[in-house]
Amino acid sequence: MLAAAPFLGLWLLAPAVVAWIGAAQPSTPKRALPDSDRQMLRRIARATWRYFDDFVGPESNWLPPDNYQEAPWFALAERTSPTNIGLWLLATLAAHDFGYLTPLQVAERGEATLDTLNRLERFEGHLLNWYDTRTLQTLAPRYVSTVDSGNLLTSLWTLAQGYREMSSRLIVGPEVLRGLADTLALIPIHDWSPSELPRNVDARRLRGIARDLARLFADPPDQPGKVAKRLRAAAGPAREFAQMLRSISSALPGPSTRDDEAEAAYWSTQVERQVQAWLDIVDRCYPSDEHLPGVTSDSPEDLAARFQRLTARVESLADAMNMRFLYDPKRRLFTVGYNVDDRRSDSSYYDLLASEARMASLVAIARGDVPAEHWYALGRPFGKSHGHRVLFSWSGTMFEYLMPLLLTRNYRHTLLDEALREAVRLQIAYGRQQRVPWGISESAFAAFDTNLVYQYQAFGVPGLGLKRGLADDLVVAPYASVLALMVDRETALENLKRLAQSGLRGGYGYYESVDYTQRRQIRGNHGVVVQSYMVHHQGMTLLALDNVLNDDVMPGRFHADHRVQAVEPLLFEKSPVAPLLVAATERGEARARLTEARPAEPTAPLDAPASATHLLGNGA
């Protein structure tokens, strides 16, 4: 018996050993972010949320306008899509995670948006591709997009879990004061001369209030009662501070207020409103400042029940979306979409795993609309590029590889993990080769239509995408680097700092892109900043920052759904040891866009003394 004891012990331990070997490897623990970097990212998050705060409201029927551009003229695109709507709703959760919105504000925005969605035309439960945000009319062509519907469906599942959380969690915590600190940090305070200030404004008093507010918001306590006490102490100073900065802004001479003063007035007003919004929650939902145990049963607003009703509405909307009619069982693939006017499916298909469309695939399998074999029918073309083995996408964009990480967990040493890491490495290497910041993806670029609206296109890295012509343009999009924070945080941070130093920071976070393509350069410039903001890039930026700063909170919500847990093994797929390698269409053909000599299409500033023209003649 003694001789058999070692073998008996191994036999008893075998199940635990097998479970340990088969478990998905957790991500490597990340080094804590330095305070300066954390503050930088939080300020980007606060500025990015401003887009939604300013443009989503009753005027837009609580739908997010597609984009806003600041040059060559101010223009707001009053249309929206299912992807935009899903990201907007998740952005409200992220804003609450950061402390920018109260639970009541999240509920109000969710209810208003869902009320609007009930008025929109749908097909087979799907929202159509584009709507006018003012009239709510469907824009032609009436079309169901597979990838847009997949994005919305995954957003709704994540949103439902977020609403469940909010029905049971403590309402005020340290994130409230951190969010106020973010807003306060965006206020530019200057040493104004006495002649610049109204008589009722004392510059010393102004700076003193700023310091007092900063102290109240710093090092926030965990206890709700102490948070509430600080909010009450901040209410008066925040009100006075905002009044002083608004009076400075209105008193400045000239046809319009200087940018810094206008920004100071704007952000100080936001601090005032943010403090008051959280105080309203404290007053309405808690019996006293000393003990804040949670939402009381006699609360004027039963937020728990309100979020439960919201959850039911979100789940009803998601359950009504039929993904089956978009699936071709013979090809085992999703079509790109369905033309409602012509009653026909698109003749093109999503057939690659390295695509943002894999979100639609995953969620359709999870809800049982399509079989799991569809996942394995998605193409996995491998090739060599710059000495690295890569999984090709179609366009070689950061968006195709990293957008799904906003909601899905990444498991180390799996096929997708290795593919997205190599994609980021190749993007970094390509940026260094071209001597520009890295991060190429689909984005607006420095070309206009007849209405002087920026054009939009998918840009990628040669050797990473199968599409031809990827070396013809060089357009860098900051949101691509924000997505890359989820993969290579330190390198992406340095790239974001470089982009900020290059003039890519605007009033709503990072501008859309900088265009380095030679033929679109304005004489004497090194890159043309595209001064616009796309709402889905704003949403992705905010969600990525939420994940980086709040421990992958969005994937945690998505994977809390039992249907997602059932299909998680699809994400565990290991990379093949020796796959068949195919050639990219332009592997190794990346050309330096800033130094090549070639005929160019000159671009002149819009305010040039004479317009740039092409003269055509018959030789006479």
Side-chain angles (χ1 to χ4, degrees):
M1 190 67 180
L2 289 175
F7 299 99
L8 182 60
L10 290 173
W11 178 77
L12 291 172
L13 289 172
V17 173
V18 170
W20 177 74
I21 293 173
Q25 294 296 311
S27 298
T28 303
K30 295 178 181 177
R31 182 173 59 85
L33 270 174
D35 287 343
S36 58
D37 289 339
R38 179 172 290 275
Q39 290 170 6
M40 168 193 157
L41 294 180
R42 289 191 64 99
R43 291 173 189 177
I44 294 169
R46 184 62 184 89
T48 302
W49 168 248
R50 179 183 179 179
Y51 183 100
F52 299 99
D53 223 9
D54 283 3
F55 297 130
V56 185
E59 299 81 6
S60 70
N61 286 293
W62 293 99
L63 298 177
D66 185 66
N67 64 81
Y68 171 71
Q69 69 175 53
E70 297 178 348
W73 63 301
F74 292 98
L76 183 66
E78 295 176 316
R79 62 179 180 272
T80 200
S81 70
T83 294
N84 293 349
I85 293 168
L87 288 170
W88 147 245
L89 289 168
L90 291 182
T92 65
L93 290 185
H96 179 261
D97 294 335
F98 282 116
Y100 309 147
L101 285 185
T102 70
L104 183 60
Q105 291 172 318
V106 173
E108 290 171 343
R109 283 156 176 75
E111 289 165 345
T113 299
L114 291 173
D115 288 344
T116 297
L117 297 187
N118 286 338
R119 299 161 56 194
L120 299 180
E121 179 187 2
R122 284 186 266 176
F123 182 81
E124 293 284 341
H126 292 253
L127 296 180
L128 302 181
N129 213 29
W130 290 104
Y131 298 93
D132 186 302
T133 58
R134 286 194 175 269
T135 67
L136 303 186
Q137 294 298 306
T138 306
L139 302 181
R142 295 161 68 236
Y143 189 84
V144 175
S145 163
T146 297
V147 70
D148 273 298
S149 289
N151 291 341
L152 178 60
L153 191 52
T154 52
S155 295
L156 292 175
W157 283 15
T158 308
L159 184 68
Q161 295 299 326
Y163 284 163
R164 285 194 180 92
E165 283 179 16
M166 295 182 70
S167 68
S168 59
R169 64 183 293 187
L170 282 171
I171 290 183
V172 293
E175 72 280 353
V176 174
L177 298 177
R178 293 192 188 105
L180 283 162
D182 296 341
T183 309
L184 182 68
L186 293 174
I187 301 175
I189 299 293
H190 299 291
D191 290 325
W192 287 288
S193 66
S195 61
E196 291 182 295
L197 297 176
R199 292 181 180 179
N200 63 331
V201 174
D202 181 345
R204 184 178 300 176
R205 171 65 178 162
L206 185 70
R207 287 189 289 271
I209 295 175
R211 287 192 296 270
D212 291 343
L213 289 173
R215 281 195 293 267
L216 285 169
F217 301 153
D219 301 318
D222 293 327
Q223 298 87 346
K226 292 182 178 179
V227 173
K229 186 175 181 180
R230 291 205 195 182
L231 285 171
R232 293 198 185 286
R239 189 181 309 111
E240 182 183 358
F241 190 54
Q243 289 171 348
M244 293 174 76
L245 287 171
R246 285 194 294 264
S247 67
I248 292 173
S249 177
S250 61
L252 286 172
S256 63
T257 302
R258 292 200 303 253
D259 287 344
D260 281 354
E261 283 72 20
E263 287 293 285
Y266 174 89
W267 287 115
S268 62
T269 300
Q270 293 303 309
V271 170
E272 179 186 18
R273 291 175 179 172
Q274 217 169 305
V275 169
Q276 191 56 54
W278 281 108
L279 277 176
D280 288 345
I281 284 290
V282 170
D283 291 340
R284 297 171 69 174
C285 298
Y286 294 122
S288 72
D289 289 351
E290 299 301 323
H291 304 287
L292 299 177
V295 180
T296 59
S297 59
D298 58 349
S299 167
E301 295 289 340
D302 187 353
L303 283 176
R306 198 165 178 176
F307 277 113
Q308 288 166 7
R309 290 192 295 271
L310 271 170
T311 301
R313 293 181 67 182
V314 169
E315 290 180 332
S316 177
L317 181 63
D319 291 344
M321 296 173 66
N322 168 26
M323 298 292 288
R324 294 184 186 91
F325 81 99
L326 297 167
Y327 182 71
D328 186 334
K330 292 182 179 179
R331 292 178 179 263
R332 298 182 298 164
L333 296 172
F334 274 109
T335 181
V336 169
Y338 184 87
N339 190 307
V340 176
D341 292 325
D342 297 341
R343 291 295 194 272
R344 63 173 177 82
S345 297
D346 204 297
S347 59
S348 300
Y349 296 84
Y350 287 112
D351 61 354
L352 293 176
L353 182 65
S355 165
E356 73 279 9
R358 69 177 179 269
M359 294 287 287
S361 297
L362 187 69
V363 76
I365 294 169
R367 55 183 275 157
D369 284 352
V370 303
E373 66 179 10
H374 159 62
W375 188 263
Y376 299 104
L378 295 171
R380 293 153 169 79
F382 284 89
K384 280 283 188 179
S385 182
H386 302 282
H388 295 273
R389 190 181 78 176
V390 298
L391 178 67
F392 291 129
S393 67
W394 174 245
S395 301
T397 67
M398 201 77 92
F399 178 79
E400 292 166 299
Y401 291 91
L402 300 188
M403 189 267 191
L405 278 190
L406 294 172
L407 299 181
T408 60
R409 285 179 175 149
N410 182 44
Y411 299 98
R412 291 303 307 271
H413 311 303
T414 59
L415 182 152
L416 284 172
D417 174 65
E418 293 178 6
L420 62 89
R421 291 180 187 280
E422 287 299 339
V424 171
R425 290 189 191 105
L426 202 58
Q427 288 257 356
I428 294 170
Y430 188 67
R432 288 172 178 165
Q433 177 188 350
Q434 300 299 316
R435 299 183 180 88
V436 299
W438 55 271
I440 298 176
S441 199
E442 59 177 59
S443 65
F445 59 103
F448 302 100
D449 64 11
T450 55
N451 296 315
L452 295 180
V453 173
Y454 285 113
Q455 297 296 280
Y456 190 91
Q457 183 179 317
F459 301 102
V461 170
L464 190 56
L466 296 171
K467 179 183 176 182
R468 294 184 180 276
L470 295 178
D472 293 341
D473 298 274
L474 186 59
V475 181
V476 175
Y479 85 90
S481 290
V482 179
L483 292 178
L485 286 167
M486 299 184 290
V487 177
D488 188 344
R489 194 177 62 189
E490 284 72 25
T491 310
L493 264 168
E494 291 306 311
N495 200 52
L496 286 170
K497 293 173 184 177
R498 182 181 179 186
L499 288 165
Q501 292 167 358
S502 300
L504 268 290
R505 286 284 294 273
Y508 297 101
Y510 279 96
Y511 282 123
E512 172 69 0
S513 66
V514 54
D515 192 338
Y516 293 104
T517 308
Q518 183 67 39
R519 65 182 181 276
R520 290 193 289 269
Q521 296 304 295
I522 297 174
R523 293 180 183 88
N525 281 16
H526 179 74
V528 179
V529 176
V530 176
Q531 296 181 49
S532 71
Y533 307 88
M534 304 296 298
V535 68
H536 64 300
H537 297 163
Q538 296 292 102
M540 287 190 284
T541 294
L542 193 60
L543 266 58
L545 293 172
D546 196 15
N547 287 336
V548 170
L549 295 168
N550 291 311
D551 299 322
D552 289 325
V553 60
M554 289 296 173
R557 287 168 178 149
F558 182 59
H559 284 258
D561 191 300
H562 64 88
R563 294 166 295 186
V564 177
Q565 294 170 15
V567 296
E568 279 179 348
L570 295 176
L571 303 175
F572 299 164
E573 179 182 355
K574 297 296 183 181
S575 186
V577 176
L580 177 67
L581 301 182
V582 300
T585 55
E586 295 185 83
R587 186 180 61 196
E589 295 179 13
R591 294 168 289 181
R593 308 309 304 158
L594 300 180
T595 58
E596 70 171 331
R598 55 170 290 178
E601 300 171 13
T603 302
L606 292 173
D607 57 353
S611 301
T613 60
H614 289 288
L615 299 179
L616 302 178
N618 61 3

